[in-house]
Amino acid sequence: MRRALLAVAVCVCVLAPAADARDPGRWVLTGATSIPITYWQGLTSDPAKQRVFFIGVFEGLWRTTPGLRQTAANGAAIHAEVTAAEGYNHIGDLTWNGGRVLLPMECYDPAAGGNTCGNGAFGIADPGTLAWRFYVKLDPAEIPKAMWAETSPDGKLVWTSSGDDLLAYR
């Protein structure tokens, strides 16, 4: 009986049609815009969709119009005293949060195998000046680094993840 079931299973796998990976024609390219590499880490916008904020590969913070005309830049968005005290040198994918730009923070060194300090934080930047304001250190027992953040639709929570867990902070 086992051999018969195995034979049937093999036949089904062998005779099954291959998945069709071609575009079924439902997608329509409406435009494309190139952006500088300094904008590649993450982006968010304000609720009025008048300002778009980008994070660079490691820590720069830029603001543009919806048409991608740059209106402000801060190449060193992490305050130097915070880097010296905590080791944070990398900003993950940012989010808009109640009139502020929220910056997920971590210590990242690819040569050392990634996360070097074992803790993360949420930094806050002023959306008008892009200046550093303050940060909230996250409990390293729950989250060893903050790679991304997203504000809930009602604005009351900030979501991020740690391993397989989705975390929410008030």
Side-chain angles (χ1 to χ4, degrees), residues 71-107:
T71 57
N74 182 351
I78 304 171
H79 198 283
E81 291 175 8
V82 175
T83 299
E86 303 288 353
Y88 302 133
N89 67 347
H90 181 75
I91 301 171
D93 189 11
L94 70 169
T95 190
W96 179 265
N97 182 261
R100 307 174 291 200
V101 180
L102 191 143
L103 312 169
M105 314 287 295
E106 65 178 293
C107 310

Side-chain angles (χ1 to χ4, degrees), residues 7-20:
V8 169
V10 168
C11 287
V12 167
C13 290
V14 170
L15 299 175
D20 188 5

Side-chain angles (χ1 to χ4, degrees), residues 57-58 87-90 106-117 145:
V57 178
F58 266 87
Y88 302 133
N89 67 347
H90 181 75
E106 65 178 293
C107 310
Y108 183 74
D109 183 354
N115 185 18
T116 56
C117 65
K145 60 183 176 178

Side-chain angles (χ1 to χ4, degrees), residues 35-42 54-62 70:
I35 59 171
I37 194 169
T38 53
Y39 293 1
W40 282 13
Q41 180 63 38
F54 292 93
I55 289 296
V57 178
F58 266 87
E59 68 158 311
L61 176 60
W62 289 266
Q70 186 171 301

Side-chain angles (χ1 to χ4, degrees), residues 4-74:
L5 288 174
L6 181 60
V8 169
V10 168
C11 287
V12 167
C13 290
V14 170
L15 299 175
D20 188 5
R22 290 177 299 176
D23 177 10
R26 292 187 293 252
W27 292 96
V28 177
L29 178 63
T30 61
T33 303
S34 295
I35 59 171
I37 194 169
T38 53
Y39 293 1
W40 282 13
Q41 180 63 38
L43 75 129
T44 193
S45 66
D46 65 6
K49 308 276 190 261
Q50 297 300 308
R51 299 175 289 184
V52 181
F53 301 89
F54 292 93
I55 289 296
V57 178
F58 266 87
E59 68 158 311
L61 176 60
W62 289 266
R63 186 182 66 230
T64 73
T65 65
L68 301 179
R69 183 179 57 79
Q70 186 171 301
T71 57
N74 182 351

